Amino acid sequence: MPRIVRDADIAWEGNLARGNGALSAASSGAFTALPYSLPTRIAAPEGKTSPEELLAAAHGGCFTMSLAGELTAAGTPPGRLDVHCRITMDEVEGQGHLIVHSALAVRARVDGVDEDALATAVEAAHRGCSFSSLLRAAGVDVDIDTTLEGGD
């Protein structure tokens, strides 16, 4: 795989408690000026995003592509993968607020795959996903729950 470089632009106005910001995908333009703020980061989102939500999307997206690749390489490409990722940030004594957990819930529809074959592909996908590697290296617990739907 070639070296990948992507950019984001972030703007922030005001102090931490009452300020607000905007996140934009500089490389692709896929999203522009996604709003975020401290109150909506730690309380109800109110239609705004957060760094943790974007990390959940990044981890879930990377893992899903990795799993599709593992299943395809095994000769059993997926019919459909639905993955939900939940990132948890919590206060860690003496360290402040840190990302402490990522939970992936995987629903897979794959013909010709049993539970054991899916578990093997999931483990390989977890090892191959760069965001899983990043989180593991940071000491974050990653749990993966899988459900095989249909298939053989």
Side-chain angles (χ1 to χ4, degrees), residues 23 35-37 40-42 45 48-56:
L23 307 162
Y36 77 115
S37 68
T40 59
R41 184 179 187 187
I42 61 176
K48 296 181 180 179
T49 194
S50 69
E52 294 75 24
E53 183 176 51
L54 295 172
L55 177 58

Side-chain angles (χ1 to χ4, degrees), residues 84-135:
H84 178 85
C85 182
R86 173 176 284 152
I87 292 290
T88 303
M89 182 171 67
D90 202 356
E91 190 166 353
V92 176
E93 189 173 332
Q95 298 182 55
H97 286 86
L98 300 176
I99 302 298
V100 297
H101 189 253
S102 181
L104 294 161
V106 180
R107 285 191 349 248
R109 282 184 247 155
V110 187
D111 289 333
V113 168
D114 62 16
E115 296 285 343
D116 291 337
L118 179 60
T120 298
V122 164
E123 181 55 36
H126 182 48
R127 285 191 314 272
C129 169
S130 58
F131 281 87
S132 288
S133 296
L134 178 68
L135 291 167

Side-chain angles (χ1 to χ4, degrees), residues 59-73 81 121-130 132:
H59 185 205
C62 178
F63 174 83
T64 303
M65 290 178 74
S66 184
L67 180 55
E70 293 297 331
L71 290 165
T72 300
L81 301 172
V122 164
E123 181 55 36
H126 182 48
R127 285 191 314 272
C129 169
S130 58
S132 288

